[in-house]
Amino acid sequence: MLIHVGDDRNERIDLGLAAIMSAVAGALNAVGFQVAGLFSANMTGNVSALAEHAAQGSWASSAAFAALIGCFVTGASCAAGLIHLGETAQARPIYALVILGEALLLLLMMLGLGGGGYLHGDLPFTAALSFVMGLQNATTTMISRTRVRTTHVSGMATDIGIEIASLFFGSAARRLALPKLRLHGTTILTFAAGGVLGTLVYAAIGAWLFAATAAVLLAVSVPEILRAARGPQP
């Protein structure tokens, strides 16, 4: 799931990646809104909010939304930089290592939230979570060569509409559209399911939710790192 890149991936691998990572993103995005009243992965909404506050002359609020956008972009840039370095060094587990890094960041966030820790306040918390979301989305985008995006659904909803129309224009168009419908439909459904489950789990265990999502990422990344260490399999 985190070893094969681009055309070496098949539909099953992409579906698995989309399902797991979208569920994690949906949980984190929903809990981020529950904690701080801000979305960490919704850059469309954050840009709109930035513009609205700027038009009203609320420069402090506008700057806060700009900071969230900047953190998301910075997270994506860090992931891309690490991946480029890893690919240059022919490090097969580089994608899995970045996801492992995401898991460690979530554990740090749990510590920062517990007992009034260093992530007190809406903006520091959401900024940290936006960085994590940018990191994750860049990783899934790069490993799938843009087929899998996991932290937002606007683009997938548009693609679903396009692909539904394609179903009515011959068998060749349907053959191309159906795998994309499965992938994008899976992404949206698991993102929503992750949001529901994340909200319920956060209500039950609080900041330990971040440890739970980190455990999911560790369960995905660590076996892939070990598999890569064993070398290519026959």
Side-chain angles (χ1 to χ4, degrees):
M1 187 182 298
L2 292 172
I3 298 296
H4 297 290
V5 180
D7 292 338
D8 290 337
R9 302 174 64 82
N10 56 36
E11 183 184 1
R12 179 184 60 81
I13 294 173
D14 278 348
L15 281 171
L17 181 69
I20 295 171
M21 303 305 287
S22 294
V24 168
L28 294 173
N29 199 46
V31 170
F33 185 79
Q34 189 175 11
V35 171
L38 297 165
F39 285 118
S40 57
N42 183 6
M43 294 302 110
T44 302
N46 287 340
V47 171
S48 297
L50 181 157
E52 178 188 0
H53 286 291
Q56 295 173 351
S58 301
W59 301 112
S61 296
S62 185
F65 283 104
L68 297 183
I69 297 163
C71 287
F72 187 94
V73 172
T74 301
S77 183
C78 287
L82 290 169
I83 289 166
H84 284 310
L85 288 172
E87 289 183 335
T88 300
Q90 298 184 332
R92 292 183 69 237
I94 184 58
Y95 292 93
L97 288 169
V98 175
I99 296 301
L100 173 64
E102 180 186 354
L104 298 178
L105 288 173
L106 290 173
L107 291 174
L108 287 175
M109 289 191 68
M110 181 194 72
L111 297 176
L113 282 173
Y118 55 85
L119 285 181
H120 61 282
D122 294 346
L123 185 58
F125 167 77
T126 312
L129 199 51
S130 291
F131 179 91
V132 170
M133 291 290 91
L135 186 89
Q136 175 179 308
N137 201 46
T139 304
T140 58
T141 298
M142 292 180 72
I143 196 171
S144 67
R145 296 297 186 257
T146 75
R147 290 191 299 272
V148 178
R149 297 174 184 268
T150 58
T151 64
H152 54 278
V153 300
S154 298
M156 269 76 73
T158 303
D159 290 340
I160 285 174
I162 293 169
E163 288 142 16
I164 288 173
S166 298
L167 297 177
F168 299 96
F169 290 91
S171 58
R174 281 196 295 273
R175 282 196 300 272
L176 292 173
L178 285 172
K180 296 177 183 178
L181 276 171
R182 285 190 290 268
L183 179 61
H184 298 317
T186 296
T187 300
I188 292 176
L189 288 173
T190 53
F191 188 91
V196 172
L197 184 60
T199 301
L200 294 174
V201 172
Y202 184 79
I205 63 176
W208 284 97
L209 175 278
F210 292 92
T213 52
V216 172
L217 296 177
L218 289 170
V220 171
S221 61
V222 171
E224 297 284 80
I225 293 168
L226 296 176
R227 185 176 296 113
R230 292 195 295 267
Q233 301 300 305

